[in-house]
């Protein structure tokens, strides 16, 4: 690991030799069981973190609720200034944090850097937004009355995040929540706890330099049981949860049961439609990066290629050829395209999907398999696989969080492809490759893709922070990041002011005393 500068990165981030959950500020409160974090890259132990107990959680919540009282009073543009400083710190530590993300999660170093860049971008976005938390004014029907709406901070925002974007998803939430005047309590994935501590350390530095309470950003560690402290806690008006649909259904019920708000970012089953007019070269790049990037562990990874029968063989051969060039290995080594899966359980799910597609009558065109031997000691490296399948196969209806790509055939009109694309439970990302304007517009119309993200001549994978990010149906309906996604982090209030000496009632109601 030292070959790739991991030791230096861990030192820079203040997470070298973590073995007792020690961190700065709020996280010092953790006293529970030890969580060990092993790298999927080389199987080495990175560090040990203590889980947060129920008692620890109460201390954290006290820190958070008390910090909220200070933070909400700071003018939003001044909160923006703190977020600007946080973005600057991320710029300074970009290489170190990108490396840790790569080492603890297993994505390529380039993608690790990309994830930190997303954090920087959302900070920049949030700084501008801190001067634009606009409400509307409207004309009152009553004389001498003024009416407007305003947005106020919500309170403590609970963030539960997944392993695959161990740092960016937190920042999408916090950067916006902070400028909105909220404080955040974050439970990162138990599979990437060191990334959580590294981020907390960076935030803590900024708060300390500004004499602000660190409770504005709190970290709790552990598995779903620790997540449940937050979902059951009435003091938390908003839970933002990113992860599997299975998790989202439980969280939605728990939070809904107490009429809290939840922002859910759940699984996808993303497809690219390849029409007769598609640019094949672009299709291959989009499809291959979409299917094998992050070893198929992005919520927006391409799972299905829905190809018109007239170009089916051509596209299939081009994609299969491209797979022959893929280099699988240490993701910190920039010459490799595909890194490991997160852990052995993920490898088992990958094997299971390949067995299932064959059992259902699918035809493997690029063989999968688990790699062993030198460089693959962690047991988490698998070969990206491709199977020809039918849309109705059970396995094709599910999200397998691994590099398995299904080729599906359609004939006739683009409507048939759109039907196949929409006919799954998930609704995150979708794409069409076409140079035909009618097909593209049909795909984007109200009778087109039912996903939260619909792209033309781009793959399904990845997104820019400027747009609202999220999906429909079993993807959970939440929107994060750009556009007006900030509104969920605030409470809306309508205000009417009477500046006369009369008290006229609305709707002309008379109430004479
Ligand atoms: P996961 O559902 O296993 O875990 C996600 C987080 O939820 C973890 O922090 C976990 O501890 C917590 N959790 C699980 N059950 C909980 C419960 N009952 N109460 C409270 N917290 C609970 O997901 P994962 O394996 O870490 O991540 C992969 C999944 O995340 C994929 O399905 C992927 O598509 C999805 N994902 C979605 C998006 C998106 O924006 N839509 C982004 C990234 C990942």
């Amino acid at each position: 690991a030292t070959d790739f500068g991991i030791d230096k990165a861990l030192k820079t981030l203040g997470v070298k030799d973590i073995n007792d959950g020690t961190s700065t500020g709020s996280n010092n409160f953790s006293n529970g069981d030890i969580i060990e974090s092993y790298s999927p890259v080389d199987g080495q132990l990175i560090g040990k973190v203590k889980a947060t107990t129920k008692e620890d959680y109460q201390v954290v919540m006290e820190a958070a609720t008390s910090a909220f009282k200070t933070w909400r009073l700071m003018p939003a543009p001044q909160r923006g200034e703190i977020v600007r400083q946080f973005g600057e710190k991320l710029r300074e530590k970009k290489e170190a944090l990108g490396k840790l993300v790569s080492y603890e999660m297993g994505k390529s170093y380039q993608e690790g850097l990309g994830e930190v860049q997303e954090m920087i971008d959302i900070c920049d976005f949030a700084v501008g937004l801190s001067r634009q938390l606009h409400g509307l004014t409207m004309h009152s029907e009553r004389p001498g009355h003024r009416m407007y709406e305003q947005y106020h901070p919500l309170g403590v925002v609970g963030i539960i995040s997944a392993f695959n974007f161990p740092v960016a998803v937190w920042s999408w939430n916090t950067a916006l929540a902070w400028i909105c005047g909220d404080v955040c309590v974050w439970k990162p994935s138990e599979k990437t706890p060191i990334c959580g501590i590294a981020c907390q350390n960076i935030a803590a530095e900024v708060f300390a330099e500004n004499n602000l309470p660190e409770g504005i950003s709190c970290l709790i560690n552990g598995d779903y049981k620790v997540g449940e402290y937050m979902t059951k806690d009435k003091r938390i008006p908003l839970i933002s949860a990113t992860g599997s649909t299975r998790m989202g259904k439980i969280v939605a019920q728990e939070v809904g049961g107490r009429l809290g708000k939840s922002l859910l970012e759940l699984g996808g089953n993303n497809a690219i439609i390849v029409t007769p007019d598609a640019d094949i070269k672009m299709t291959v790049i989009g499809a291959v990066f979409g299917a094998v990037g992050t070893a198929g562990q992005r919520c927006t990874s391409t799972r299905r290629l829905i190809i018109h029968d007239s170009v089916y063989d051509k596209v299939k051969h081009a994609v299969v050829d491209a797979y022959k060039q893929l280099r699988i290995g240490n993701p910190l080594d920039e010459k490799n395209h595909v890194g490991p899966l997160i852990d052995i359980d993920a490898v088992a799910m990958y094997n299971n999907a390949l067995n299932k597609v064959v059992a259902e009558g699918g035809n493997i065109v690029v063989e999968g398999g688990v790699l062993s031997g030198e460089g693959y000691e962690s047991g988490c490296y698998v070969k990206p696989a491709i199977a020809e399948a039918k849309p109705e196969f059970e396995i094709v209806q599910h999200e397998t969080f691994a590099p398995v790509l299904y080729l599906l055939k359609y004939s006739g009109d683009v409507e048939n492809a759109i039907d196949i694309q929409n006919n799954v439970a998930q609704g995150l990302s979708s794409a069409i490759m076409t140079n035909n304007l009618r097909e593209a517009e049909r795909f984007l119309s109200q009778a087109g893709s039912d996903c939260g993200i619909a792209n033309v001549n781009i793959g399904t994978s990845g997104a820019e922070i400027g747009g609202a990010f999220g999906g429909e149906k079993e993807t959970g309906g939440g929107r994060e990041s750009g556009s007006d996604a900030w509104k969920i982090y605030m409470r809306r209030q309508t205000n009417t002011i009477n500046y006369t000496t009369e008290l006229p009632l609305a709707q002309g109601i008379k109430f004479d005393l």
Side-chain angles (χ1 to χ4, degrees), residues 160-164 187 190 242-244 265-267 299 399 469:
I160 296 171
S161 62
F163 76 83
N164 66 331
K187 192 200 85 58
E190 59 274 33
T242 301
S244 60
E265 297 283 353
L266 313 174
C299 49
E399 177 195 49
F469 181 88

Side-chain angles (χ1 to χ4, degrees), residues 197-211:
I197 292 184
C199 289
Q200 178 69 19
N201 287 350
I202 297 171
E205 267 182 44
V206 177
F207 294 127
E209 284 164 12
N210 289 278
N211 291 318

Side-chain angles (χ1 to χ4, degrees), residues 289-302:
F289 175 71
V292 312
T294 328
Q297 299 169 108
R298 285 186 176 212
C299 49
T300 53
S301 288
T302 309

Side-chain angles (χ1 to χ4, degrees), residues 95-113:
E95 282 75 24
L97 189 56
K99 214 156 256 188
L100 172 62
V101 167
S102 174
Y103 190 53
E104 193 176 34
M105 185 276 157
K107 66 176 64 176
S108 74
Y109 177 49
Q110 279 308 311
E111 289 177 273
L113 290 176

